Amino acid sequence: MDEILRLDAVGQARAVREGRVSPRELAEAAIAKIEAFDGALNAVVHKRYERALAEAGALPEGGPFRGVPILLKDLGWVEKGEPYNAGSRALDGVEIAADGYSVAKLKAAGFVILGRTSTPEFGTTITTEPLAFGPTRNPYDPAYSAGGSSGGSAAAVAAGMVAVATASDGGGSIRIPASLCGLVGLKPTKGRSSYGPSGGEGWSGFSVSGLVSRSVRDTAAVLDLISGFEEGDPYGAPALPRPLTEEVGACPGRLRIGFVTRHPRGDVPEHAELTAAVAGAARLLESLGHHVEPGHPDELGNPGFPEHFGALVAANVAAEVESVGAWRGRPVSLEELEPRNRAMAEAGAQRTAVQHVLAVQWMDGFRRRMAAWWRSGHDLLLAPSLGVPPFPLGWVPPEDLSTAFGRTAHAVSYTSAFNATGQPSVSLPLHRTAAGLPVGVQLVAATGREDLLVRLAAQIEAAAPFRHTALR
């Protein structure tokens, strides 16, 4: 059974179809693995084992992922009848009334949901250490962070509890934990999947839903499942030419790829491990026949970006706090929040509607100026997935907000810009530090070009297979 659990989700689904394992047996094995190893990692905060086993035993035939266990991030990804905390005790006692559209699609495909994974409070930082639930530990070294905000999902997948887990990304929250846990983490184009029925968008469109996985084909297959415009959505992503699963193994052609190792804004410290990761990836891409050269969008260095991005996020945090109060039936006091979110909610509430609209308009211009680089003939940008090397738990101190915000700003310096532009980007596990900790590299495509990312990521995976040495 352990051999089947080590397969990716596509492989596990095939094992079920071939009768090598039943959905219930596979769910039982995954539950046993969670129980054996989650005590050390603290990745799963809500368990629904009884419901999962009953559902596994009653699954109808069919469904591309019939019987495959999965975990849902406890931020977004709402499921009817289940608790929901978003990393905060302010939501204790809340129970969800209806499945989110993407959760319903996962169920229809045959996935068996085993529980919910940890996230920092409201997903507003780069490490999963919520005061409500305690830190999630990195399977490669338990003294280190699994990243955030999808850190619980990343730790669970890297450790082998499940082959895939859901995630979301508002400033790097798929790519950062994928980088730190040695996984594939693709942030889709803005609007690729729906936030309905309860929401329209996250963080003014910065946030998108996705997953973390151990293989490119899993990433492609699950994104195919959850993608699609739903009635009432505020916008949708450009249509893909064909399913992403058909891009796995397709030739990407000879691509023109720019790369960057020193952030053009000049305020992000360069680190040797990140430089080595990008340089190694550039050599690999050259060996695959691509044209690789130094280069990046000039706009990536715009000194005004952090201020405008931070202002919009703060406004969204303030709005979320108000929404939580309405949801639970009583206002949220600032004292209920972690210091980071208390400060962000206060700052967001102080901004005027005019200031908010002006920040949105500034981002409109930023998005168009960034897009010009891809229109000029570049296919992809290669950059670090994370602006800092792997970091230990406690590196983002909850009480020292000046240090915490400064370190977070450096960490998201290569990711948050593409939340603002809405472009798709993927973190791939191509480097290890001398201590054996994963370091991801990021590839960024033009808006709507997940197809190109999947083609190239699959080519890279075939040429330099990803190592998942933290598997339990």
Side-chain angles (χ1 to χ4, degrees):
M1 184 61 71
D2 192 60
E3 180 182 347
I4 292 176
L5 283 178
R6 286 175 173 268
L7 297 173
D8 66 359
V10 171
Q12 290 180 14
R14 182 181 297 120
V16 172
R17 286 195 301 273
E18 293 173 351
R20 288 184 281 150
V21 64
S22 72
R24 185 180 176 95
E25 288 169 338
L26 192 52
E28 288 173 339
I31 288 169
K33 183 154 284 194
I34 293 171
E35 289 300 291
F37 297 110
D38 193 52
L41 298 178
N42 193 33
V44 183
V45 293
H46 295 301
K47 300 170 182 177
R48 63 184 302 278
Y49 295 161
E50 289 187 9
R51 285 186 69 183
L53 291 173
E55 290 163 359
L59 278 175
E61 294 295 327
F65 287 98
R66 180 175 180 265
V68 177
I70 194 170
L71 290 164
L72 304 181
K73 180 180 179 180
D74 193 30
L75 181 66
W77 297 99
V78 293
E79 184 185 10
K80 182 178 179 179
E82 293 297 322
Y84 182 81
N85 278 97
S88 178
R89 289 299 186 197
L91 280 159
D92 278 352
V94 167
E95 188 174 286
I96 301 301
D99 286 345
Y101 289 151
S102 292
V103 171
K105 290 176 180 179
L106 294 176
K107 289 181 176 181
F111 276 109
V112 176
I113 300 168
L114 301 184
R116 304 184 67 80
T117 61
S118 190
T119 183
E121 186 179 65
F122 303 146
T124 55
T125 189
I126 58 170
T127 184
T128 301
E129 303 177 53
L131 298 182
F133 297 101
T136 295
R137 301 181 180 276
N138 192 313
Y140 284 87
D141 185 332
Y144 276 73
S145 173
S149 64
S150 307
S153 288
V157 172
M161 298 175 194
V162 290
V164 295
T166 68
S168 55
D169 192 318
S173 289
I174 290 174
R175 293 157 290 167
I176 288 170
S179 175
L180 292 173
C181 292
L183 301 174
V184 178
L186 194 158
K187 181 196 84 68
T189 295
K190 173 183 174 181
R192 181 63 68 200
S193 61
S194 177
Y195 268 79
S198 59
E201 63 178 3
W203 281 12
S204 298
F206 296 163
S207 185
V208 294
S209 299
L211 69 145
V212 286
S213 77
R214 297 194 294 266
S215 71
V216 175
R217 68 178 186 175
D218 273 4
T219 291
V222 179
L223 284 179
D224 279 340
L225 282 179
I226 65 174
S227 294
F229 178 86
E230 299 286 348
E231 190 72 28
D233 288 348
Y235 42 73
L240 293 166
R242 58 182 178 175
L244 291 174
T245 52
E246 296 182 22
E247 307 296 351
V248 177
C251 178
R254 187 172 190 262
L255 303 176
R256 184 184 180 193
I257 303 171
F259 72 89
V260 59
T261 58
R262 182 187 295 274
H263 200 284
R265 205 168 55 235
D267 61 349
V268 182
E270 190 174 11
H271 193 277
E273 291 286 7
L274 309 185
T275 300
V278 172
R283 290 192 297 271
L284 175 60
L285 289 166
E286 284 185 328
S287 75
L288 294 173
H290 302 292
H291 176 72
V292 184
E293 61 187 3
H296 57 80
D298 290 340
E299 189 66 12
L300 189 60
N302 192 314
F305 175 79
E307 176 187 353
H308 289 88
F309 183 83
L312 286 170
V313 172
N316 277 272
V317 172
E320 184 168 11
V321 171
E322 289 290 323
S323 296
V324 168
W327 195 4
R328 72 179 193 176
R330 65 184 190 283
V332 176
S333 69
L334 292 179
E335 289 70 29
E336 293 180 77
L337 304 177
E338 294 184 23
R340 171 189 70 257
N341 287 320
R342 190 182 310 155
M344 295 175 75
E346 287 180 317
Q350 290 170 5
R351 294 183 64 82
T352 67
V354 170
Q355 288 174 318
H356 182 77
V357 170
L358 289 173
V360 169
Q361 291 174 343
W362 190 94
M363 283 297 176
D364 291 341
F366 176 79
R367 183 168 57 250
R368 294 190 173 95
R369 294 189 296 271
M370 285 282 282
W373 188 79
W374 278 265
R375 289 197 303 270
S376 72
H378 294 88
D379 296 298
L380 296 168
L381 175 67
L382 169 66
S385 297
L386 185 60
V388 297
F391 52 89
L393 292 168
W395 186 73
V396 182
E399 301 292 342
D400 182 352
L401 294 184
S402 177
T403 298
F405 284 133
R407 289 177 173 176
T408 299
H410 288 159
V412 303
S413 56
Y414 292 104
T415 54
S416 58
F418 306 110
N419 294 89
T421 64
Q423 292 170 251
S425 53
V426 63
S427 180
L428 300 175
L430 293 180
H431 183 73
R432 296 286 176 88
T433 69
L437 295 169
V439 174
V441 298
Q442 180 183 202
L443 290 161
V444 186
T447 297
R449 293 306 310 272
E450 288 97 323
D451 58 329
L452 186 57
L453 287 180
V454 168
R455 277 185 230 158
L456 183 59
Q459 184 186 51
I460 290 169
E461 184 181 30
F466 307 145
R467 297 180 295 140
H468 302 295
T469 54
L471 281 173
R472 280 6 188 203

